[in-house]
Amino acid sequence: MKSSGGNDAWWQIVLQVFPTYLMAGCGMVGAGLILEFVQNWPAFVNVPEIIIVVPPLLGLKGNLEMTLAARMSTASNLGHLDDKKVAASTTIGNLILVQCQGIVVGFLASLCGLAMGWLPIAKANYEQALLLCASAIVTASLASFVLALIMVIVIVIARKCNCNPDNIATPIAASLGDITTLGLLAWISDILYTDYNTGGYKAQIIIGGYFLVLPLFLALAYNNEHVSEVLRVGWTPVLMAMLIASGGGFVLEMAVEHFKGVTLFAPVMNGSGGDLVGIQASRMTTYLNKATNSLLGTLPEDDNNICPTPCSSFFGDLPLCNKCGGGGGKQPHGMPARVLLMLLFPGHILFVFIIFFVKIGYSPSFLFMFFYLIAAFLQVAVLLYLAQFLVYWMWKRGTDPDNAAIPYLTAIGDLVGTSLLALAFILLEVMGDQSLVDLPAHGHPAVGHNVTEALNATISHLTELH
């Protein structure tokens, strides 16, 4: 099956995306099961800020791995990786770059988690701060290296098999990213918590060691012509995405306090949305590179509408919807957006049934399925529309969307997805849905966050009114 590298028919998109999307979803289901299992471990109970750093650390696959996959996929579709010397230099440079970004993002994500956990209660703990910081840095570093290496291998194989890497690489990054990152975070934080209780110094040694090697990684990346530009200008989207995703972590931490099962579904909801919008953003950038001969700042003459209407974004290529087509310009991204939006339904239904039968042993209620799918649909629809605006706006400003768009989109997906999931759980509780009643109770009773208590009181009041 020959891929056109950006002009695929709808059935090519389905055949290439859906299998890897299902694999990605199974990885996210596994991540949810892991998070549900480890949330009552001593480290997670006594250092609840770990829950807050889960979304920004899981967001690394959007900040780093999916961005890497988008850059490498575009380079592959443009033929830049056909030269073995260039391919080797590009690969090594990108592996070093994601290490630099992973170490910095892991450290800053831990600081955000500490701030969000401590400020509401005006209380701090130095040893727990070291534990969280070391856990986040090691998790980000190891996960970034392993996943980046896998991404490079997948893109090379996809190129040789005449498949469009844009359709394949980002779902595989998503499938392995969540479960790998969560597993590493749980394992490392448990080891460091045990060491902390016995008076050890592993956390201090880890933090010091990473900051000693960070300047070396930065120097190597700066001197690599293929990634030096990303190193200089690629920090803003990565760091802003981390802050946005930390907001999603704050919502998740509050939701975990009140609802059973949130930790099972949050990785699936957020990961699936980020997966689908990552595919669309990567395809859009490849299209713009081909349509303009990689001239950043220049849009195709017949497709230069930066901010189309939602109708135009999804249906502007259909004859019946030409009135919304932004002044008669063509809309090459409507069909892929519709295909990706439709793929979420069979995928999410399968993922939810797997979670229910593994954890509870019976199927979800119609009410649960209805509100969950509405939340998932709204999240992906918002992200696909934002992708159209962000990619074209960044390209017009001279910024490569492969380096900047996906981090913003996946981070916004984490925040919007977690918020919509929490809203769905609130509505289900108000309506008396009993789908998750057989899940064991959980929570962090030792945590006394004022903001969480206020939210729980509001939710309880709404339930009583009902």
Side-chain angles (χ1 to χ4, degrees), residues 11 13 35 52 87 103 115 122 182 242 246 259 275 292-293 330 335 359 365 376 401 411-412 434 453:
W11 57 269
I13 297 174
L35 186 57
I52 297 178
I103 294 169
L182 259 179
M242 181 207 67
S246 295
F259 299 113
D275 178 6
T292 65
N293 291 318
K330 71 173 184 176
M335 182 273 292
K359 288 297 295 183
S365 68
I412 293 170
Q434 300 293 309
E453 290 172 357

Side-chain angles (χ1 to χ4, degrees), residues 21 56 63 88 146 151 193 218 374 394 400 433 438 447 453:
Y21 172 60
N63 297 340
V146 172
M151 284 304 92
Y193 185 74
L218 289 171
I374 286 180
M394 288 178 174
D400 188 352
D433 184 76
D438 291 335
V447 181
E453 290 172 357

Side-chain angles (χ1 to χ4, degrees), residues 41-64:
W41 284 14
F44 283 76
V45 172
N46 295 302
V47 189
E49 290 78 18
I50 295 176
I51 287 286
I52 297 178
V53 303
V54 166
L57 286 180
L58 294 187
L60 283 174
K61 73 175 186 295
N63 297 340
L64 307 182

Side-chain angles (χ1 to χ4, degrees), residues 72-82 159 286 289-290 294:
M72 298 287 284
S73 295
T74 298
S76 174
N77 280 323
L78 296 176
H80 296 165
L81 299 184
D82 294 341
R159 176 71 174 175
T286 297
N289 271 287
K290 289 188 171 184
S294 301

Side-chain angles (χ1 to χ4, degrees), residues 49 52-53 56 109-121 242-251 253 449 451-452:
E49 290 78 18
I52 297 178
V53 303
S110 67
L111 294 185
C112 287
L114 292 171
M116 291 183 179
W118 288 353
L119 288 178
I121 60 172
M242 181 207 67
L243 290 174
I244 297 170
S246 295
F250 191 48
V251 175
E253 194 270 340
H449 293 292
V451 178
T452 303

Side-chain angles (χ1 to χ4, degrees), residues 228-240:
S228 58
E229 181 68 18
V230 183
L231 182 68
R232 288 193 296 269
V233 303
W235 289 101
T236 300
V238 169
L239 298 181
M240 287 301 296

Side-chain angles (χ1 to χ4, degrees), residues 145-297:
F145 177 76
V146 172
L147 294 171
L149 192 60
I150 292 173
M151 284 304 92
V152 171
I153 295 172
V154 166
I155 289 166
V156 170
I157 293 175
R159 176 71 174 175
K160 291 185 180 296
C161 295
N162 290 323
C163 291
N164 186 354
D166 283 330
N167 295 335
I168 297 171
T170 47
I172 292 179
S175 69
L176 300 173
D178 285 350
I179 196 166
T180 303
T181 304
L182 259 179
L184 282 171
L185 179 63
W187 174 56
I188 292 163
S189 61
D190 186 61
I191 291 174
L192 292 179
Y193 185 74
T194 302
D195 180 71
Y196 154 69
N197 283 333
T198 57
Y201 296 95
K202 288 180 181 176
Q204 291 90 327
I205 293 171
I206 287 171
I207 295 170
Y210 267 103
F211 277 97
L212 283 175
V213 299
L214 180 58
L216 175 62
F217 287 148
L218 289 171
L220 290 172
Y222 185 79
N223 289 305
N224 186 295
E225 62 177 321
H226 303 290
V227 298
S228 58
E229 181 68 18
V230 183
L231 182 68
R232 288 193 296 269
V233 303
W235 289 101
T236 300
V238 169
L239 298 181
M240 287 301 296
M242 181 207 67
L243 290 174
I244 297 170
S246 295
F250 191 48
V251 175
L252 176 63
E253 194 270 340
M254 291 189 292
V256 164
E257 288 298 311
H258 190 82
F259 299 113
K260 295 191 293 185
V262 171
T263 50
L264 283 170
F265 297 98
V268 180
M269 173 76 75
N270 296 339
S272 176
D275 178 6
L276 294 174
V277 77
I279 293 171
Q280 182 74 336
S282 184
R283 291 176 58 87
M284 285 180 176
T285 307
T286 297
Y287 160 79
L288 289 174
N289 271 287
K290 289 188 171 184
T292 65
N293 291 318
S294 301
L295 291 175
L296 283 170

